């Protein structure tokens, strides 16, 4: 029933009901019906300090949501809660996620002792894992690098392997925690294009955690701004605005988001 | 052409492609802080210098043969002992003891490290006793082992095993504990089973620590061997040396030392070779 296997030293986070959408047990909360992700009244705290103070969030199947916020606002905590990676964190609330969830981290997190292909097939049980992994690597433009060690690749290439590893599982939900944060500006722009192509091809629901307003506008259908552990604002991005920097409304949206984040007087 | 800062020596070897080898290759070369490329058989240099010093001191009479036999006497002694079969016989017995002790020690150390590294209960049960064992000099256990097992092979192999398993355990356990938690999270997000997690993440991640432990263990096995063979033994290289001491045969003692030295050097080289093969994914100064 639980969507996530327990960790090495799993301590159940108290009070949280976690369920997989589409499971037949019928305990999935009614609020999550039709959505890929449904989060209700999520509370998480480290020690006495509350990090998430009652977050509600829905993500439709195939929807791309960017989670924006200043450092320490709880956006990574929310993503880790959705990924089931917060065993030792106290809290409560209701989380419902699909069965197949993939996570892309800020670091590519490739096992240094396994080849590129081995990293992509990690955890795949299907007999055609290798051929599917080769296909995924070709999709991210790394055909022919299957036998390389991770350290032989550039930072951008390593992150592309991480994307291939996520997508080879055909996730219904892709969680990405500042996946391009460690890349240089040019590589980041190329990766934006690649991610858009991959998402268009595989149609997972996406939750992208970022602190980059322009990245959020370029990629997301909807931008959720988190502040002090609560959803502060939600802004919709129309396709016209996201595709062109000089489109009407682009600059206004950018200014609004910066204001949401408490950055005022930025002129460029 | 303006004068660019150019070093006099060629920076790199000529290119393998003859067409490129003929081309001009002028480049500024900075100081290199790493130790540079590996050279084959470079490890032989240090031992060769020692051997050279020994030979020269003996030949010039600087070294009294009663203190330390000349290298050629030791070689001649080796020839005699090989001819009458004593050296091979004792060497085979010694190697068997060290090999068995090493084998059991590696198995025990690695299994204990896995148990302690993978479960909190295992760690609570195992780590304390091993640390206590580590604090007791291995050779101080010999009297007790003799009382329990007598002076036969069991006691000897057990002494070596007890000396070997500690470094294997310590380093493998440290390697396990040092595995980055980020990889554990990754294993969870890709849905690895526990068995696959151990096979894909834990074992490869602990391998560098295991090999470090193995190098300590191999050296430790020879050390323990020397001691057990000089107490109540009736065969082995240590016994051969102990007997030679009674008759004042420096040449046989030195030969025994040389055999131990060569065995130690060879086994360490073998472990390092295995280590390089198994850890080829690592990028370090060792190269």
């Amino acid at each position: 029933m639980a969507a996530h296997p327990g960790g090495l030293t799993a301590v159940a986070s108290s009070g949280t009901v976690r369920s997989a959408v589409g499971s037949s047990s019928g305990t999935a909360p009614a609020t999550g019906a039709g959505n890929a992700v449904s989060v209700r009244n999520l509370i998480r705290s480290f020690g006495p300090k509350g990090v998430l103070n009652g977050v509600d969030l829905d993500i439709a199947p195939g929807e791309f949501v960017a989670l924006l916020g200043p450092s320490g606002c709880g956006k990574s905590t929310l993503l880790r809660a959705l990924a089931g990676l917060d065993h030792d964190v106290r809290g409560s609330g209701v989380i419902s996620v699909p069965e197949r969830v993939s996570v892309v981290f800020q670091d590519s997190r490739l096992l240094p002792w396994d080849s590129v292909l081995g990293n992509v097939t990690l955890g795949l049980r299907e007999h055609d894992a290798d051929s599917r992994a080769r296909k995924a690597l070709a999709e991210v433009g790394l055909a022919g690098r299957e036998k390389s060690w991770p350290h032989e690749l550039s930072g951008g290439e390593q992150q592309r392997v991480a994307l291939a590893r996520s997508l080879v599982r055909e996730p219904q939900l892709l969680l990405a925690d500042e996946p391009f944060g460690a890349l240089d500006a040019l590589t980041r722009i190329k990766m934006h294009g690649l991610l858009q192509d991959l998402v268009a091809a595989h149609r997972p629901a996406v939750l992208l955690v970022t602190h980059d307003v322009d990245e959020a506008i370029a990629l997301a259908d909807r931008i959720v701004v988190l502040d002090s552990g609560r959803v502060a604002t939600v802004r919709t991005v129309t396709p016209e605005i996201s595709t062109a920097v000089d489109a009407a409304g682009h600059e206004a949206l950018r200014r609004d988001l910066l204001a949401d984040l408490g950055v005022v007087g930025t002129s460029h | 052409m303006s004068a660019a800062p150019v070093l006099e020596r060629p920076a790199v070897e000529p290119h393998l492609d003859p067409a490129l080898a003929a081309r001009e290759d002028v480049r500024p070369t900075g100081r290199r802080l790493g130790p540079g490329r590996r050279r084959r058989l470079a490890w032989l240099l240090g031992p060769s210098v020692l051997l050279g010093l020994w030979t020269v001191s003996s030949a010039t009479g600087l070294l009294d043969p009663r203190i330390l036999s000349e290298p050629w006497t030791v070689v001649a002694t080796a020839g005699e002992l090989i001819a009458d079969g004593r050296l091979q016989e004792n060497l085979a017995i010694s190697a068997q003891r060290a090999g068995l002790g090493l084998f059991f020690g590696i198995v025990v150390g690695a299994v204990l490290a896995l148990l302690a590294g993978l479960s909190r209960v295992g760690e609570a049960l195992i780590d304390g006793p091993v640390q206590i064992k580590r604090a007791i000099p291995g050779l101080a256990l010999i009297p007790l082992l003799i009382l329990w097992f007598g002076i036969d092979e069991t006691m000897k192999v057990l002494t070596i095993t007890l000396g070997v398993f500690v470094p294997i355990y310590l380093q493998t356990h440290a390697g396990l504990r040092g595995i980055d938690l980020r990889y554990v999270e990754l294993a969870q997000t890709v849905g690895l089973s526990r068995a696959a997690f151990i096979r894909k993440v834990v074992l490869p991640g602990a391998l560098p620590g295991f090999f470090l432990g193995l190098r300590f263990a191999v050296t430790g096995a020879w050390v323990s061997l020397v001691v057990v063979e000089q107490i109540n033994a009736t065969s082995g290289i240590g016994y051969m040396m102990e007997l030679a001491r009674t008759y004042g045969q420096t040449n046989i003692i030195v030969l025994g030392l040389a055999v131990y030295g060569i065995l130690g050097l060879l086994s360490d080289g073998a472990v390092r070779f295995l280590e390089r093969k198994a850890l080829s994914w690592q990028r370090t100064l060792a190269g």
Side-chain angles (χ1 to χ4, degrees):
Chain A
M1 153 94 233
H4 305 286
L8 265 187
T9 54
V11 177
S13 48
S14 54
T16 301
V17 180
R18 191 190 295 284
S19 65
V21 169
S23 64
S24 55
S25 57
T27 53
T31 47
N35 282 321
V37 174
S38 161
V39 176
R40 287 292 173 272
N41 200 24
L42 191 68
I43 293 173
R44 287 288 185 272
S45 56
F46 298 103
K49 187 174 160 282
V51 180
L52 296 177
N53 302 308
V55 170
D56 294 331
L57 178 70
D58 289 319
I59 303 176
E63 188 186 17
F64 198 129
V65 173
L67 192 59
L68 204 56
S71 330
C73 71
K75 47 189 196 302
S76 284
T77 307
L78 176 54
L79 181 135
R80 293 173 61 81
L82 290 178
L85 291 175
D86 57 351
H87 308 287
D88 296 327
V89 185
R90 295 190 175 281
S92 61
V94 178
I95 298 172
S96 143
V97 291
E99 232 166 301
R100 296 194 305 277
V101 179
S102 285
V103 186
V104 183
F105 301 93
Q106 177 166 7
D107 59 301
S108 59
R109 216 165 283 204
L110 303 178
L111 298 176
W113 47 76
D114 217 337
S115 67
V116 164
L117 187 71
N119 268 285
V120 176
T121 56
L122 189 69
L124 288 185
R125 291 181 182 85
E126 295 82 354
H127 61 93
D128 60 341
D130 270 16
S131 67
R132 280 174 54 193
R134 279 171 206 284
K135 212 174 128 240
L137 281 168
E139 251 187 299
V140 298
L142 287 175
R145 304 300 298 272
E146 289 86 358
K147 285 182 182 157
S148 303
W149 294 117
H151 74 73
E152 293 169 334
L153 305 182
S154 71
E157 288 171 332
Q158 292 180 9
Q159 202 56 315
R160 281 194 267 161
V161 176
L163 274 178
R165 181 181 58 200
S166 312
L167 291 167
V168 78
R169 278 145 244 279
E170 292 294 339
Q172 294 148 303
L173 172 64
L174 177 66
L175 299 169
D177 190 0
E178 299 194 23
F180 314 128
L183 302 179
D184 64 273
L186 286 176
T187 311
R188 199 178 310 147
I189 293 168
K190 284 186 206 157
M191 293 293 282
H192 287 169
L194 176 65
L195 181 62
Q196 280 173 318
D197 293 346
L198 292 171
V199 166
H202 298 264
R203 303 303 306 164
V206 183
L207 182 69
L208 170 78
V209 165
T210 180
H211 55 249
D212 181 343
V213 171
D214 296 312
E215 183 170 282
I217 296 174
L219 296 173
D221 305 321
R222 194 153 55 96
I223 299 175
V224 173
V225 179
L226 211 59
D227 188 30
S228 312
R230 282 177 211 282
V231 174
T233 43
V234 178
R235 296 186 185 278
T236 314
V237 189
T238 60
E240 302 80 60
I241 288 179
S242 64
T243 42
V245 186
D246 53 359
H250 187 281
E251 191 51 40
L253 176 60
R254 192 170 184 280
R255 211 176 317 121
D256 290 344
L257 284 167
L258 286 171
D260 294 339
L261 294 167
V263 186
V264 278
T266 343
S267 55
H268 92 125
Chain B
M1 203 175 133
S2 66
V6 171
L7 291 188
E8 285 164 17
R9 62 190 164 79
V12 286
E13 286 170 33
H15 203 282
L16 288 175
D17 182 347
L20 282 172
R23 300 243 185 121
E24 196 178 23
D25 179 22
V26 180
R27 49 173 115 177
T29 309
R31 176 187 297 186
R32 172 190 221 154
L33 290 175
R37 279 198 307 144
R38 264 195 103 71
R39 305 213 182 272
R40 281 170 62 83
L41 304 179
W43 61 275
L44 278 173
L45 181 64
S48 307
V49 169
L50 271 182
L51 196 62
L53 280 176
W54 180 19
T55 311
V56 170
S57 327
S58 296
T60 53
L62 214 63
L63 205 58
D64 189 328
R66 281 167 304 179
I67 308 261
L68 192 64
S69 306
E70 305 94 331
W72 48 91
T73 318
V74 174
V75 172
T77 309
E80 289 162 24
L81 288 181
I82 289 172
D84 68 12
R86 275 164 65 198
L87 187 62
Q88 302 91 301
E89 193 184 308
N90 287 312
L91 187 60
I93 287 169
S94 290
Q96 189 196 339
R97 285 170 187 154
L100 279 175
L102 198 58
F103 172 76
F104 291 124
I106 290 170
V107 171
V108 171
V111 167
L112 288 181
L114 276 179
L115 290 176
L118 288 175
S119 87
R120 295 288 176 200
V121 178
E123 182 169 41
L125 281 174
I126 293 166
D127 200 54
V130 176
Q131 299 297 339
I132 293 170
K133 161 69 189 73
R134 185 184 163 208
I136 301 172
L139 310 178
L141 286 172
I142 290 183
L144 198 57
L145 292 176
I146 292 179
L147 274 181
W148 287 351
F149 300 100
I151 54 163
D152 64 359
E153 290 302 300
T154 313
M155 183 279 283
K156 295 186 177 69
V157 170
L158 199 61
T159 304
I160 297 170
T161 302
L162 286 172
V164 160
F165 95 89
V166 174
I168 294 275
Y169 169 85
L170 287 177
Q171 302 299 338
T172 310
H173 187 233
L176 275 168
R177 282 279 170 232
I179 291 176
D180 201 323
L181 211 58
R182 296 176 312 133
Y183 298 136
V184 182
E185 277 184 8
L186 170 75
Q188 200 192 317
T189 62
V190 299
L192 285 192
S193 66
R194 198 170 172 83
F197 171 63
I198 291 174
R199 197 159 38 85
K200 293 281 191 178
V201 179
V202 173
L203 293 181
L207 213 52
F210 170 78
F211 272 109
L212 185 60
L214 189 56
R215 286 185 64 187
F216 284 117
V218 166
T219 320
W222 294 118
V223 171
S224 303
L225 180 73
V226 176
V227 176
V228 295
E229 287 193 338
Q230 294 189 354
I231 302 171
N232 289 317
T234 50
S235 58
I237 298 289
Y239 165 73
M240 194 181 84
M241 289 165 70
E242 192 57 21
L243 202 64
R245 185 187 61 82
T246 333
Y247 300 112
Q249 295 166 308
T250 328
N251 51 345
I252 295 187
I253 296 177
V254 176
L255 173 64
L257 290 176
V259 169
Y260 278 137
I262 291 168
L263 287 174
L265 203 60
L266 286 180
S267 47
D268 191 55
V271 174
R272 280 204 262 185
F273 175 77
L274 282 177
E275 191 177 9
R276 269 208 303 284
K277 290 287 161 204
L279 304 182
S280 55
W281 52 271
Q282 276 190 333
R283 212 174 23 160
T284 60
L285 285 185

